[in-house]
Amino acid sequence: AVYRYKTDKGFFKAYGAFSYSDFSLIQEDINVEDGFFFGLRNRNYYGNLNYTGELSESWDIQSGVSLSRDHTDLNLTTTKIDNSETAVHGKVKVSKRYNNYFKMHYGAEQFVIDSKESILFEQESFNNTINQYNTGAFVESEIFASKDLAFKIGGRADYYNTTQQIRFSPRLSAAISIS
């Protein structure tokens, strides 16, 4: 499903989707009297909301948030696997246009992923949970040297909770029009 709404100074959009599948079979096997059972069930949801608009004559904003939820159940005769993952991603970017030749972008984003897996193998249980997130911030400038030549210069910093590290990434690009 998609929903769109235009405001005086921007555009709001919402999207959502859900899927479900359930499949099973019994494979004949000479070594297994009742056959080899295989079952698979999936339930997946994805949704996002975003807004793009003007804050003022020279400031713009782009923002969004998404959520996905995936759940899988796998059944193989003596083994059962239950896997679920929930992920959220949020981002906001503001841009300031100083003139026709110079523009700045500032932004931040957050990823959060929660994964859980439970395995039952011949009455023995194994469980695993991973919670990870990444927090990022960036700044970037756009410089138009002429109508045929442009540069982007900036940097990004990210924090990863799984390694407890902060990483800095410089950004530099150039574009030239040959037409």
Side-chain angles (χ1 to χ4, degrees):
V2 176
Y3 173 76
R4 295 182 178 115
Y5 181 76
K6 184 163 176 52
T7 66
D8 291 340
K9 293 189 176 195
F11 191 72
F12 173 78
K13 185 170 70 170
Y15 172 80
F18 178 77
S19 67
Y20 176 86
S21 66
D22 194 352
F23 172 80
S24 65
L25 66 87
I26 297 175
Q27 175 69 43
E28 291 182 17
D29 190 318
I30 195 167
N31 298 318
V32 180
E33 183 179 329
D34 294 331
F36 183 79
F37 179 79
F38 173 84
L40 178 64
R41 179 180 296 157
N42 292 311
R43 297 172 304 283
N44 304 305
Y45 167 78
Y46 174 79
N48 70 42
L49 304 169
N50 61 58
Y51 176 78
T52 302
E54 293 179 7
L55 296 174
S56 71
E57 199 171 288
S58 60
W59 284 93
D60 295 327
I61 187 168
Q62 294 177 329
S63 62
V65 63
S66 67
L67 168 70
S68 66
R69 173 92 170 122
D70 302 315
H71 195 109
T72 301
D73 299 317
L74 181 61
N75 191 342
L76 303 167
T77 305
T78 61
T79 303
K80 294 181 185 199
I81 301 172
D82 182 21
N83 180 289
S84 67
E85 180 175 287
T86 302
V88 177
H89 177 212
K91 183 175 184 176
V92 64
K93 178 176 108 173
V94 293
S95 301
K96 166 86 168 141
R97 187 180 64 257
Y98 290 92
N99 56 43
N100 289 340
Y101 301 100
F102 187 71
K103 191 177 202 181
M104 289 292 296
H105 306 283
Y106 310 91
E109 63 185 321
Q110 178 75 45
F111 292 93
V112 178
I113 301 172
D114 179 36
S115 301
K116 294 178 182 169
E117 188 168 62
S118 176
I119 301 171
L120 181 63
F121 177 68
E122 296 181 356
Q123 308 305 321
E124 191 89 26
S125 181
F126 305 93
N127 295 301
N128 185 30
T129 299
I130 299 173
N131 297 307
Q132 60 186 26
Y133 59 87
N134 166 300
T135 304
F138 60 91
V139 63
E140 178 181 73
S141 63
E142 280 186 64
I143 303 164
F144 298 93
S146 71
K147 69 176 187 141
D148 296 326
L149 181 64
F151 299 95
K152 286 188 178 183
I153 302 167
R156 180 180 175 92
D158 286 289
Y159 173 75
Y160 302 90
N161 79 307
T162 52
T163 59
Q164 296 185 348
Q165 290 183 335
I166 296 175
R167 296 213 173 135
F168 296 98
S169 306
R171 306 289 167 101
L172 177 63
S173 65
I176 189 167
S177 176
I178 55 174
S179 60

